[in-house]
Amino acid sequence: MAVREIVTVGDPVLRERARDIAPDELRSIEVQRLIDDLIDTKRTANGAGLAANQIGETLRVAVVEVEAGNPRYPYKPPIPLTVIVNPVLEPVGDEIAEINEGCLSVPDLRGTVERFVTVRVRYVDRDGVEHEEERRGLTAGTFQHEVDHLDGVLFLDRVRDPTTFTTWEQFDRHHRAAFEARARDLVRRTGS
Ligand code: ZN
């Protein structure tokens, strides 16, 4: 296990579509080690998720986890560690929420994006077991953010109103209170 360097916006690897992982390949030491590295790197950076592109690998795998008391995201409900391999997302309904997002690959910038409130996620876990789940609320937003990475898409691309871009310092100073109130309302309505 190792903490890897997180690549930042401008690195072409973040713009590549990651490729599917075959079942045999998933069992390999290399891919299992990559998954361990994603978990270690995400936890060290206090992220909510990390996709393989962000550590320079173009394989379709990402990890999502929000630990209770995460200092980057105090308003996010906990998400148990979930390793998603070859994920496919599908919106359920057309309800949209405006979510203020940041990204470990886009240092010191946040912006407001629109995300589906409910998505169906199909993936296999690191043991090759198939899963199909519905994710709602902020958690659904996190899954959409990570699967975007695997398609070479950054949250920057989804910001419709560029005046919502802020540094973390200005977010804390001017925008955090209003966003956290909206976020907590979404969590109350959706349970996640
Ligand atoms: Zn990101």
Side-chain angles (χ1 to χ4, degrees), residues 49-51 54 102-106 145-146 149 154-155:
L50 193 68
Q54 293 180 275
C103 177
L104 293 171
S105 291
V106 185
H145 180 115
E146 297 312 322
H149 273 302
L154 298 174
F155 85 91

Side-chain angles (χ1 to χ4, degrees), residues 26 35 57 76 91 142 150 154 157 165 191:
L26 178 57
I35 291 169
E57 309 272 357
K76 283 199 181 198
T142 302
L150 301 177
L154 298 174
D157 313 349
F165 281 124

Side-chain angles (χ1 to χ4, degrees), residues 3-15:
V3 175
R4 305 264 294 261
E5 189 182 335
I6 297 175
V7 302
T8 50
V9 57
D11 190 316
V13 75
L14 291 173
R15 294 311 192 171

Side-chain angles (χ1 to χ4, degrees), residues 102-120:
C103 177
L104 293 171
S105 291
V106 185
D108 202 22
L109 194 67
R110 300 184 59 110
T112 299
V113 301
E114 293 185 348
R115 296 291 187 190
F116 290 105
V117 170
T118 309
V119 290
R120 185 171 299 115

Side-chain angles (χ1 to χ4, degrees), residues 94-105:
D94 52 13
E95 194 188 348
I96 296 285
E98 285 194 341
I99 298 179
N100 184 279
E101 292 191 5
C103 177
L104 293 171
S105 291

